[in-house]
Amino acid sequence: MKRNTLVILALISMFMFACNKDKKDNENKAVEEEIIPNHELVATDNMTIIENADSDMEWDMISRSKIKLKGFELDKALKLLIGDSPARVIIEGEHANPVMEIEYEPIDVWESSQDGNKQIVLDSLQKFYDFEIVTENREQTVYNIVSTDNESLIPRDDQNLGTSSSLSGKIANYKNYTIEKLAKTLEREFDVVFELGLEDKGKYDVELNIVSLEKVLETLKTDYGLMIEKTQQEIEVFVVKF
């Protein structure tokens, strides 16, 4: 009887070991499949989508003529493609987050639009990644620009000229920018929400050290007289749900 018991225990141990091994092998296989290098998802005449791409970071301004995203993880790529500000896009749920390479060029540029191009790329991504996009009101940290000091913030006389920006190291120069355009630019740079609590149509030249958000806020206050309040408030955001 004792011998039979030992045999049964040995068989149970062997069975449990085999099950655990199979489980671990399956987990390892799943991980290997998830990180296939340069895994091409789409390759057509006007669209390329590759995950786990080995490329330098690159982002061409999304326009009616072309979309080009390289070196950004999926989360960041979605934030850039949805809406006008990545700071107003929230990603929720557990999911793989591969580095992406995305290029799209519409067949007919004159019949295309910026929003339409974005939507075509998002529709393609949804075929491979299980997510939905909804609009919700969420409480977020918001930096409110509530007032300016006219003695510190001097408007340009030649306001009809176009805007331009340049970057040297961490020093950014914004030429002929409205306060609203500057706020939207800083939203993209630091992934935080700015709101404009004033009416100001002037255009300005602003130089900022963008090493950190704290440094930017300090310079906007001391050098340009912008009063900015950090608040919690409910705003409309896009939510990506995996």
Side-chain angles (χ1 to χ4, degrees):
M1 177 66 100
K2 185 175 180 180
R3 178 179 176 138
N4 288 341
T5 301
L6 290 173
V7 170
I8 292 171
L9 288 173
L11 290 172
I12 291 173
S13 296
M14 291 173 64
F15 177 75
M16 293 297 293
F17 176 79
C19 288
N20 288 336
K21 185 176 183 301
D22 288 343
K23 181 180 179 182
K24 187 161 185 168
D25 288 344
N26 288 335
E27 288 175 352
N28 290 337
K29 184 179 179 183
V31 170
E32 288 173 1
E33 290 176 350
E34 191 174 293
I35 57 174
I36 299 173
N38 298 318
H39 186 205
E40 193 172 69
L41 301 179
V42 178
T44 65
D45 289 342
N46 67 325
M47 181 182 291
T48 301
I49 299 179
I50 300 172
E51 64 175 4
N52 303 309
D54 183 17
S55 61
D56 294 331
M57 189 171 288
E58 183 178 351
W59 174 31
D60 281 3
M61 209 46 118
I62 296 170
S63 67
R64 61 186 262 168
S65 60
K66 194 170 187 178
I67 291 176
K68 191 173 187 179
L69 291 163
K70 286 187 177 183
F72 292 98
E73 292 183 337
L74 176 62
D75 281 3
K76 182 64 175 178
L78 290 173
K79 278 176 160 281
L80 290 170
L81 289 166
I82 299 170
D84 295 323
S85 169
R88 298 170 189 264
V89 179
I90 297 171
I91 310 291
E92 290 186 340
E94 294 186 4
H95 58 282
N97 197 24
V99 175
M100 304 301 298
E101 178 178 333
I102 301 169
E103 288 192 53
Y104 171 71
E105 188 168 357
I107 295 173
D108 189 339
V109 174
W110 302 109
E111 291 295 324
S112 68
S113 68
Q114 179 179 353
D115 289 341
N117 291 347
K118 289 182 183 180
Q119 192 59 54
I120 288 170
V121 174
L122 286 169
D123 289 344
S124 296
L125 289 171
Q126 280 183 302
K127 294 177 183 178
F128 301 97
Y129 305 103
D130 187 18
F131 64 84
E132 63 172 338
I133 303 169
V134 298
T135 304
E136 296 182 2
N137 289 324
R138 295 281 187 95
E139 188 174 277
Q140 300 290 306
T141 298
V142 177
Y143 292 88
N144 268 300
I145 304 175
V146 295
S147 66
T148 61
D149 180 355
N150 292 333
E151 292 184 3
S152 302
L153 192 64
I154 310 300
R156 291 178 58 127
D157 294 330
D158 50 351
Q159 292 193 17
N160 290 328
L161 292 178
T163 61
S164 65
S165 64
S166 61
L167 183 64
S168 177
K170 284 293 182 178
I171 305 299
N173 279 283
Y174 305 107
K175 301 290 188 181
N176 217 31
Y177 270 50
T178 62
I179 300 298
E180 182 179 11
K181 184 174 177 61
L182 179 64
K184 288 182 177 180
T185 301
L186 294 176
E187 279 199 1
R188 289 193 296 270
E189 180 67 35
F190 294 102
D191 203 14
V192 296
V193 176
F194 280 86
E195 288 283 349
L196 203 60
L198 54 86
E199 288 190 15
D200 189 313
K201 302 300 182 183
K203 295 185 179 181
Y204 310 92
D205 292 346
V206 178
E207 180 179 284
L208 297 172
N209 186 336
I210 57 172
V211 66
S212 68
L213 176 62
E214 290 72 22
K215 182 67 175 175
V216 165
L217 294 175
E218 178 187 350
T219 303
L220 289 175
K221 178 181 178 180
T222 59
D223 293 5
Y224 300 102
L226 269 64
M227 297 304 297
I228 302 175
E229 296 178 351
K230 182 180 178 181
T231 63
Q232 293 292 126
Q233 65 187 74
E234 198 170 83
I235 63 170
E236 186 176 83
V237 295
F238 294 100
V239 184
V240 182
K241 298 185 177 184
F242 282 89

